[in-house]
Amino acid sequence: MLRTHYCGNIRESNMKSYVKVCGWVNTKRDMGGIIFLDLHDREGTLQIVCDMEILKDKFKIIESVKNQSVIQVSGKVRLRDDQTINPKIATGTVEVYAQDCKLLSEAAPMPFSLEEDVREDLRLKYRFLDIRRESMLSNLKFRHKIQKLAQDYLDSDGFINVETPMLTKSTPEGARDYLVPSRLHPGEFYALPQSPQIFKQLLMVGGIDKYYQVARCFRDEDLRADRQPEFTQVDMEMSFVEQEDVLKHLEKLFKYIFKHSMNIELDERFTRITWKTAMDRYGSDKPDLRFDLPIVDITDISKICKFSVFRNVVDSGGVVRAICVKGGDVFSRSQIDELTKTAVTFGAKGMAWISLRPDGEIYSILTKYFSKEDIEAIINRTEAKNGDFILFCADKLDIVRKVLGVLRLEIADIFGLRRKDDYKILFVTDFPQFEYSEEEGRFLAMHHPFTMPYPEDLDLLDTDKGAVRAQAYDVVLNGVELGSGSVRIYDAKVQEKMFQALGFSAEEIKERFGFMVDSFKYGTPPHAGFAFGLDRLVMLLTGSNSLREVIAFPKIKDGSCLMTSAPNVVDEEQLEVLKLDLFRAEISTKKKHKNHSDIDVDKVVALAMLSIKEEEKEKIKEDLLNIIEFANQLEKADISQIREKELEVVNVFRKDVVTNGNRRDEMLSNAKTKEDGLILVKKVVE
């Protein structure tokens, strides 16, 4: 070994020991004949003392060494002088007095300083350097710890770690799949797994009984701060269990992780609320319970009030709900305006509000429309006191839930109620089995099509899909969904009925899920499972704002990697081997033979926001066809002989020459309306 110890592990217990350490030079301080180095590795930083009289010729190495170069140092451990002790680092009381050194790798000038804050795009481009930063290194080490704790707990509880395939069959239902072309089966594709869902259920059929896996999953979705195209989840499944068994197991698991990673004892039983309660009380199926601010239903009061806006909403089937902000009378007018803009952004038509002054005065435009009795009823329902602020939303149920759910979080941020070092975990249960897709015109599975409905709701599969409740559950931490699970369908007849409720024909069921449905014929135990996002849990426990801070090599918003430039084009030969060149040729042929003679000139003109004369349309159409034909000719051109040619550098600057401009009538020729030599604009503001 080139070293005997990590730099960050040297302590006073190593006093007078002869050690070899290796690492990166963080800083160098030349005191004239003696140079102090801060040498860093994954475990921490160690001070090295380099004496010219001891190192002799090798002292030149230290004199010329550049920051972030890699060196090896041998020497004795000794105590630092009292005045040089550094209490900020674990090795702050010791140093190594160098007796030999060796330059292992010289560093080029760094693209950025590891000690300073830099743009994220630069950090991601040089991620291999960014990982040397203390914050990133610490996050990755903590991630390793969380993963190991989860595995240790599951191992001790009798779970068996089983790997499932990365190349599997595409079963389009949910997020988009990432597809992988097959060389041996031209024209056919594997899919990267969105989760090991089907395989872990088949493991239960196989008798594994308790399975887990730290699984890589892939979903072709639009990215955000808490979503990546490839992510890691701790996946688990159990046989002969009911929902209550799984929830108890998960509570023990998360309490174990918190205790051994954060030294936090979560003594209380995790809060449990149904999906409907979460949506009605907090406007979200992943509510943040670090603060209260409940949503209060005042639909019944609004139905009989004198305010026609609220009353009309209720009469048309909508709802009216409110949030009472304790101490909200301190809101400035600009803060109220910002909250109103947020409400409108998420679908509201506005935001009504009442402010209760500390002296009891009611300040609101609503006093013009509400009776005294209406105001008192609302104040009593929302439990508002002097100094509070009540805001309202009246609309369709889904819009009201969304708007007030967002405003609840905005208000919490204004008052600083979402502390990152405060942790509130809860279970959300009884999700709807289905959600209706306006885009597809049918019901889709809210979780996945293998989720068991409550037995008493099975008959509703044929009559009222929207009322069917699923035995599904989420774990939510501080307003972020950590993971989902459910009791699975294990009866082949129930599974077939579920597929039919989702609109699958018998042929589609056999094509997409035939192997799974068939497996249920051979003795399937009742089973249930869960999976949580490892990346998300680490992000929350480290107080990071993005998954990118806890993943070694993440993607950015458009799904690309700044460091490797993936995704990228591939060689023609690779396409030929996979027979993908045939698909490309077919698509190209279709494009070339597309009939452009039916160009909609009016649509082109409208898109360009132009106004043209009727007699000009044919000329514009002819010009567009000529442009398309020219582009087709360029596509056929042989560019293999084109070579770069250096052009002579010449002065391209010229003196401006004043020329005669266009005549007024020429400039106005395309104006839709004109009068007295001017463009006429219609009156739009009274």
Side-chain angles (χ1 to χ4, degrees):
M1 289 288 289
L2 293 177
R3 63 185 172 200
T4 60
H5 296 75
Y6 282 106
C7 294
N9 289 345
I10 301 295
R11 297 291 187 273
E12 291 186 25
S13 59
N14 302 115
M15 280 287 297
K16 298 183 180 179
S17 298
Y18 188 83
V19 299
K20 288 184 180 180
V21 291
C22 299
W24 288 263
V25 176
N26 265 4
T27 60
K28 182 172 69 173
R29 302 180 298 280
D30 193 337
M31 310 302 291
I34 293 193
I35 295 177
F36 291 90
L37 300 180
D38 283 340
L39 197 62
H40 186 80
D41 61 20
R42 75 170 204 187
E43 297 300 323
T45 302
L46 176 66
Q47 180 167 283
I48 308 294
V49 182
C50 303
D51 191 331
M52 182 171 61
E53 293 185 3
I54 301 299
L55 293 177
K56 301 188 183 303
D57 291 343
K58 292 190 176 181
F59 189 74
K60 295 178 181 179
I61 296 175
I62 302 301
E63 283 185 308
S64 60
V65 72
K66 298 175 181 177
N67 280 354
Q68 295 305 313
S69 294
V70 182
I71 66 172
Q72 178 197 56
V73 174
S74 304
K76 284 190 176 181
V77 180
R78 69 181 191 182
L79 284 175
R80 291 198 195 191
D81 295 335
D82 289 343
Q83 61 269 27
T84 64
I85 289 177
N86 184 356
K88 295 180 180 180
I89 59 176
T91 62
T93 61
V94 295
E95 62 189 14
V96 169
Y97 191 64
Q99 297 180 19
D100 192 13
C101 68
K102 183 178 181 181
L103 176 64
L104 300 178
S105 175
E106 185 175 9
M110 297 285 285
F112 58 86
S113 170
L114 300 184
E115 308 301 323
E116 299 175 0
D117 290 333
V118 294
R119 300 192 321 270
E120 187 185 37
D121 60 334
L122 194 59
R123 290 175 52 209
L124 293 177
K125 181 178 181 180
Y126 296 96
R127 189 61 153 190
F128 48 88
L129 297 178
D130 190 50
I131 291 174
R132 294 183 196 172
R133 295 158 65 100
E134 183 61 35
S135 58
M136 269 305 304
L137 187 60
S138 175
N139 284 352
L140 294 179
K141 290 167 71 174
F142 185 77
R143 178 194 174 102
H144 161 77
K145 185 176 184 178
I146 295 292
Q147 178 176 327
K148 187 175 186 303
L149 286 171
Q151 291 176 288
D152 288 347
Y153 180 85
L154 294 169
D155 287 340
S156 68
D157 201 29
F159 284 76
I160 299 174
N161 189 344
V162 182
E163 289 186 350
T164 54
M166 298 295 281
L167 297 176
T168 182
K169 181 179 181 179
S170 177
T171 54
E173 187 72 14
R176 286 181 294 274
D177 289 325
Y178 279 102
L179 301 178
V180 180
S182 170
R183 176 181 61 84
L184 299 177
H185 302 275
E188 298 182 351
F189 297 82
Y190 299 103
L192 298 179
Q194 296 187 25
S195 77
Q197 183 62 48
I198 292 177
F199 290 102
K200 67 180 183 180
Q201 289 192 247
L202 293 177
L203 288 173
M204 298 301 102
V205 178
I208 290 296
D209 191 73
K210 284 185 173 183
Y211 140 93
Y212 87 90
Q213 178 184 189
V214 180
R216 296 292 286 168
C217 304
F218 307 85
R219 294 178 187 174
D220 187 6
E221 299 178 300
D222 295 333
L223 305 191
R224 57 192 187 207
D226 64 348
R227 181 183 288 169
Q228 283 278 303
E230 50 182 323
F231 57 95
T232 305
Q233 66 182 32
V234 179
D235 198 50
M236 59 201 83
E237 197 81 7
M238 296 167 276
S239 292
F240 304 107
V241 293
E242 297 176 315
Q243 177 172 295
E244 183 62 25
D245 301 310
V246 180
L247 298 185
K248 287 181 178 178
H249 157 73
L250 293 174
E251 187 165 323
K252 291 178 181 178
L253 170 61
F254 284 109
K255 285 182 175 180
Y256 179 86
I257 291 174
F258 267 79
K259 179 179 178 180
H260 292 88
S261 67
M262 305 287 288
N263 196 28
I264 294 177
E265 296 275 1
L266 300 175
D267 296 325
E268 297 181 0
R269 184 172 182 260
F270 290 177
T271 300
R272 300 187 187 188
I273 58 176
T274 65
W275 176 87
K276 185 178 185 305
T277 299
M279 295 299 295
D280 288 340
R281 187 173 177 83
Y282 303 109
S284 171
D285 58 3
K286 43 182 181 294
D288 191 337
L289 297 190
R290 285 174 291 181
F291 57 96
D292 198 11
L293 285 179
I295 297 169
V296 180
D297 192 355
I298 60 167
T299 304
D300 57 330
I301 298 174
S302 303
K303 187 174 184 178
I304 58 175
C305 76
K306 297 179 180 179
F307 187 31
S308 61
V309 173
F310 282 8
R311 196 173 60 251
N312 291 340
V313 166
V314 178
D315 291 343
S316 62
V319 298
V320 182
R321 293 181 177 173
I323 294 177
C324 176
V325 183
K326 298 300 179 182
D329 181 56
V330 298
F331 283 146
S332 65
R333 184 70 212 191
S334 62
Q335 286 176 315
I336 295 174
D337 289 343
E338 285 300 317
L339 290 173
T340 303
K341 288 179 182 177
T342 300
V344 172
T345 299
F346 285 88
K349 298 177 179 64
M351 187 188 80
W353 53 271
I354 294 173
S355 184
L356 302 180
R357 299 302 195 201
D359 60 4
E361 177 192 356
I362 298 175
Y363 177 66
S364 172
I365 194 173
L366 295 181
T367 56
K368 296 180 180 180
Y369 309 102
F370 279 102
S371 68
K372 183 179 179 181
E373 292 74 21
D374 293 336
I375 295 286
E376 288 180 353
I378 291 171
I379 290 174
N380 290 334
R381 178 69 60 83
T382 59
E383 299 182 358
K385 306 294 181 184
N386 292 350
D388 293 346
F389 182 90
I390 308 171
L391 58 86
F392 305 88
C393 185
D395 214 307
K396 296 178 182 177
L397 177 60
D398 57 340
I399 293 177
V400 171
R401 282 172 167 171
K402 181 192 298 183
V403 170
L404 292 183
V406 171
L407 290 179
R408 181 175 175 270
L409 298 179
E410 290 284 322
I411 293 165
D413 287 338
I414 292 173
F415 285 92
L417 302 178
R418 296 206 285 173
R419 295 196 344 263
K420 290 186 176 181
D421 59 349
D422 184 19
Y423 302 102
K424 298 295 182 185
I425 303 181
L426 72 146
F427 293 121
V428 179
T429 64
D430 298 7
F431 280 79
Q433 185 79 37
F434 305 99
E435 55 185 345
Y436 189 77
S437 170
E438 296 287 349
E439 183 178 343
E440 297 192 29
R442 68 182 181 98
F443 279 98
L444 305 177
M446 180 168 275
H447 274 70
H448 52 66
F450 314 112
T451 299
M452 177 71 85
Y454 278 94
E456 57 268 31
D457 291 353
L458 283 174
D459 291 340
L460 297 174
L461 288 172
D462 300 321
T463 59
D464 188 2
K465 295 183 180 66
V468 179
R469 296 168 302 140
Q471 295 187 60
Y473 35 84
D474 281 4
V475 172
V476 177
L477 172 60
N478 292 358
V480 176
E481 176 199 325
L482 283 185
S484 300
S486 68
V487 175
R488 320 300 190 189
I489 297 172
Y490 65 94
D491 186 316
K493 293 181 179 179
V494 175
Q495 186 65 75
E496 186 173 357
K497 192 172 183 179
M498 177 62 65
F499 285 143
Q500 291 171 350
L502 289 167
F504 294 145
S505 65
E507 293 75 18
E508 288 176 317
I509 295 172
K510 185 175 181 180
E511 169 62 24
R512 296 186 182 189
F513 309 105
F515 62 95
M516 186 174 185
V517 174
D518 288 344
S519 74
F520 287 173
K521 299 176 182 178
Y522 302 102
T524 304
H527 57 285
F530 183 81
F532 73 85
L534 178 64
D535 315 296
R536 285 188 177 180
L537 179 58
V538 177
M539 177 186 74
L540 292 172
L541 296 188
T542 57
S544 302
N545 294 320
S546 167
L547 289 181
R548 294 187 293 273
E549 295 301 314
V550 298
I551 296 175
F553 301 105
K555 306 293 190 294
I556 60 173
K557 189 175 182 180
D558 65 0
S560 64
C561 173
L562 293 178
M563 186 181 70
T564 63
S565 298
N568 208 337
V569 296
V570 297
D571 296 335
E572 291 287 338
E573 183 180 348
Q574 291 176 276
L575 297 177
E576 291 173 6
V577 168
L578 295 169
K579 309 301 181 187
L580 292 180
D581 56 324
L582 300 179
F583 290 102
R584 191 176 64 177
E586 182 179 345
I587 293 172
S588 178
T589 301
K590 288 180 179 179
K591 285 183 177 180
K592 289 178 182 178
H593 289 89
K594 183 178 179 181
N595 183 9
H596 295 289
S597 61
D598 57 348
I599 291 177
D600 188 342
V601 176
D602 290 328
K603 185 175 182 180
V604 174
V605 169
L607 288 172
M609 300 182 71
L610 294 174
S611 174
I612 65 169
K613 298 176 181 177
E614 193 65 32
E615 58 268 24
E616 294 177 318
K617 287 186 178 180
E618 283 303 317
K619 182 65 170 64
I620 289 177
K621 183 175 182 179
E622 181 183 345
D623 290 341
L624 289 173
L625 289 172
N626 287 335
I627 291 171
I628 293 170
E629 179 60 28
F630 180 63
N632 288 336
Q633 291 177 9
L634 286 177
E635 192 177 75
K636 300 174 185 177
D638 181 9
I639 61 172
S640 60
Q641 302 302 316
I642 295 178
R643 296 287 185 270
E644 292 185 3
K645 179 180 179 181
E646 291 187 6
L647 299 176
E648 181 181 354
V649 178
V650 296
N651 182 11
V652 297
F653 293 100
R654 61 172 175 76
K655 293 182 179 180
D656 288 329
V657 178
V658 178
T659 59
N660 293 327
N662 295 327
R663 297 197 311 273
R664 181 184 294 268
D665 57 344
E666 292 175 341
M667 296 173 67
L668 296 176
S669 60
N670 283 334
K672 283 187 175 180
T673 56
K674 49 184 179 286
E675 185 177 301
D676 297 331
L678 300 173
I679 296 175
L680 180 64
V681 180
K682 293 181 179 179
K683 186 175 183 180
V684 294
V685 178
E686 295 296 336

